[in-house]
Amino acid sequence: MLATMFPIERPRRLRRTRAIRAFVRETSLDAGDLVYPMFVVPGRGVRRPIDSMPGVCHLSADEVAREAARIHELGIGGVLLFGVPEQKDPEGSGAWTDDGVVQEAVRSVAGAIPGLCVITDVCLCEYTDHGHCGIIEDGEVANDPTLELLARQAVSHARAGANMVAPSDMMDGRVGRIRAALDDAGYDQLPIMSYSAKYASAFYGPFRAAAASAPKMGDRKSYQMDPGNAREALREVRLDVEEGADIVMVKPAALYLDVIRMVRDEFLVPVAAYQVSGEYAMIKAAASKGWIDEERAILESLLSIKRAGADLIMTYFAPDAARLIERR
Ligand code: PBG
């Protein structure tokens, strides 16, 4: 049967010129699909390169505003802000004070660059001295007492002018609690992008070095997902959708393309994916050795994440990718 089809079907006919390849390309990448994560530190005029993430810097609020303007000019849809405060404490109080690092950065960006979507990470691990994403009670990360603090953090970001909040802590019930708190405070139009299927991954290493947020004791396996589980991701997504998540996220991205596809097929809400620090660092490291072509690896990795079903992608490559897309 196959033999009789040949040579009638010749897939290579549609691969011979750039123009035809473009006609038949099923997936495309747009700068508007990308979100650029940034690390906010205290101070003014601070622009400090991060060792574990070549090309990424710690930025003070004023520098975040400058960088965000460039990001917007490149056609990138949004920025995602993480805070790296000077002081950390057991309750992560720097997370929800109105004069926190992220709140200040949001104020300096949100008004100044209309059209750019300013998203804030909602989680305690960058602010707690023990490095866990919730508060500790009896030697465990305590779920329900943490929810109140996350809700306060989200409302504080909203007050500063955030356009979207993104809880990444993986406590049960946090989307519902944050939604209720936002609604109560008058922010019923503010969307929640939930890190719904966030795995306990080795690939967050460079981020944790950048945010000094590695847990001081234990690990995150009691709240982040087991890498062996895919059906459980659907459960997590279902719960978040029921609690009011507007966008659901799978994280990391490239190692979990099957999960992105399953979520895309099973749910109608938009799907986000996070190309995490370790995915970024791997490409950067191999490229610096001359082992892979960095530009092609950037575009191929992002295109594959879209092909798997992601509508939007958080990526440290956003500025590079936007320039490459433009040039193509
Ligand atoms: C937690 C958080 C982490 C990342 C985003 N939000 C780290 C963690 O869970 O330890 C990782 C992002 C990356 O690796 O790029 N607030």
Side-chain angles (χ1 to χ4, degrees):
M1 178 63 196
L2 273 180
T4 60
M5 291 296 283
F6 184 81
I8 295 171
E9 281 202 42
R10 286 186 183 271
R12 289 183 59 191
R13 282 186 199 122
L14 299 181
R15 293 181 196 145
R16 294 183 59 242
T17 70
R18 185 191 171 89
I20 294 179
R21 285 195 297 273
F23 290 150
V24 302
R25 189 168 300 131
E26 298 169 32
T27 310
S28 63
L29 206 53
D30 193 283
D33 305 328
L34 306 178
V35 173
Y36 185 53
M38 298 202 279
F39 296 91
V40 191
V41 294
R44 284 193 70 76
V46 182
R47 207 186 161 80
R48 209 172 34 235
I50 298 171
D51 279 349
S52 54
M53 303 176 67
V56 182
C57 289
H58 283 132
L59 303 170
S60 51
D62 54 325
E63 291 290 327
V64 168
R66 277 216 268 172
E67 187 77 17
R70 270 197 293 269
I71 291 294
H72 184 52
E73 236 158 71
L74 286 165
I76 293 162
V79 294
L80 172 60
L81 303 182
F82 292 95
V84 186
E86 210 125 43
Q87 305 288 341
K88 307 198 184 206
D89 60 31
E91 297 211 308
S93 62
W96 67 82
T97 53
D98 284 331
D99 58 0
V101 278
V102 163
Q103 287 83 347
E104 199 197 326
V106 170
R107 279 189 296 269
S108 76
V109 175
I113 312 166
L116 182 74
C117 184
V118 180
I119 310 170
T120 55
D121 182 75
V122 173
C123 188
L124 301 186
C125 68
E126 299 112 63
Y127 307 90
T128 51
D129 53 10
H130 46 73
H132 278 290
C133 302
I135 55 178
I136 309 274
E137 285 179 3
D138 303 325
E140 271 203 60
V141 175
N143 196 89
D144 297 10
T146 298
L147 301 183
E148 169 59 28
L149 304 182
L150 295 168
R152 259 195 246 173
Q153 185 183 14
V155 170
S156 168
H157 290 172
R159 257 198 307 270
N163 304 120
M164 191 183 294
V165 292
S168 69
D169 52 283
M170 287 299 277
M171 296 302 113
D172 292 333
R174 89 276 208 211
V175 172
R177 188 59 173 273
I178 289 170
R179 183 71 273 161
L182 289 173
D183 291 356
D184 277 352
Y187 300 105
D188 56 359
Q189 291 299 313
L190 194 81
I192 298 176
M193 173 165 65
S194 178
Y195 291 67
S196 303
K198 176 173 175 182
Y199 288 86
S201 172
F203 290 83
Y204 308 148
F207 173 101
R208 290 181 189 172
S213 67
K216 295 264 163 35
M217 67 285 184
D219 52 40
R220 301 211 205 289
K221 289 179 186 160
S222 78
Y223 42 105
Q224 299 182 347
M225 283 182 56
D226 189 310
N229 296 354
R231 275 179 289 136
E232 188 190 355
L234 299 183
R235 254 178 90 210
E236 284 281 7
V237 169
R238 174 176 57 77
L239 288 168
D240 284 0
V241 170
E242 285 169 2
E243 289 174 31
D246 300 281
I247 299 176
V248 296
M249 192 196 294
V250 175
K251 174 184 173 190
L255 285 86
Y256 297 86
L257 295 181
D258 57 328
V259 178
I260 296 173
R261 171 48 56 192
M262 286 169 74
V263 172
R264 149 60 63 245
D265 287 345
E266 195 76 17
F267 295 93
L268 296 174
V269 288
V271 180
Y274 200 136
Q275 183 179 51
V276 301
S277 57
E279 299 176 75
Y280 174 82
M282 278 196 301
I283 292 176
K284 277 286 184 190
S288 79
K289 294 268 193 187
W291 291 341
I292 55 170
D293 178 325
E294 178 166 347
E295 296 187 345
R296 292 183 57 206
I298 291 171
L299 291 175
E300 186 177 336
S301 62
L302 294 171
L303 188 69
S304 296
I305 294 164
K306 277 208 79 181
R307 192 196 60 243
D311 297 291
L312 64 155
I313 306 172
M314 320 298 124
T315 174
Y316 304 99
F317 284 125
D320 300 303
R323 285 186 204 101
L324 292 169
I325 292 165
E326 177 89 359
R327 223 171 61 195
R328 216 172 27 199

